[in-house]
Amino acid sequence: MNRLLIVAIIVVFLLLGLRIAQKYERAIVFRLGRYVGQRGPGLYWIIPFIERRVTVDIRTKTVELEQQETITKDSVPSR
């Protein structure tokens, strides 16, 4: 009974640390607040309650900007 409880606690501890990063994400891992490295994409493991991850999206984002008018040296407006 005691061994079964210990094994169950170890299995739960190991499963708590499993993480997955998508192919467009990277995980920045901090151990006790200090940078340790980056993980991903795919399945990786962190130490539960000691390491923390911050997920960063690395996809390119486009933003719509309105067209601006500029003036050249000879004071001719151009777009």
Side-chain angles (χ1 to χ4, degrees):
M1 182 67 178
N2 254 350
R3 288 185 186 175
L4 184 61
L5 181 63
I6 292 172
V7 169
I9 289 173
I10 291 173
V11 168
V12 169
F13 184 77
L14 291 175
L15 290 177
L16 281 174
L18 283 180
R19 301 285 188 258
I20 298 176
Q22 299 297 324
K23 62 183 175 182
Y24 53 85
E25 294 177 335
R26 297 297 179 269
I28 309 300
V29 178
F30 296 96
R31 183 176 299 145
L32 299 175
R34 298 195 105 178
Y35 173 77
V36 175
Q38 81 177 29
R39 308 282 196 278
L43 184 66
Y44 61 94
W45 189 78
I46 62 172
I47 303 170
F49 310 113
I50 295 176
E51 290 183 342
R52 187 174 70 94
R53 70 167 174 146
V54 176
T55 305
V56 177
D57 191 352
I58 60 170
R59 293 181 282 190
T60 303
K61 294 181 176 81
T62 59
V63 179
E64 286 291 324
L65 297 176
E66 50 182 88
Q67 194 174 20
Q68 295 181 353
E69 192 171 302
T70 59
I71 298 179
T72 61
K73 258 186 183 182
D74 55 354
S75 298
V76 177
S78 66
R79 286 189 169 222

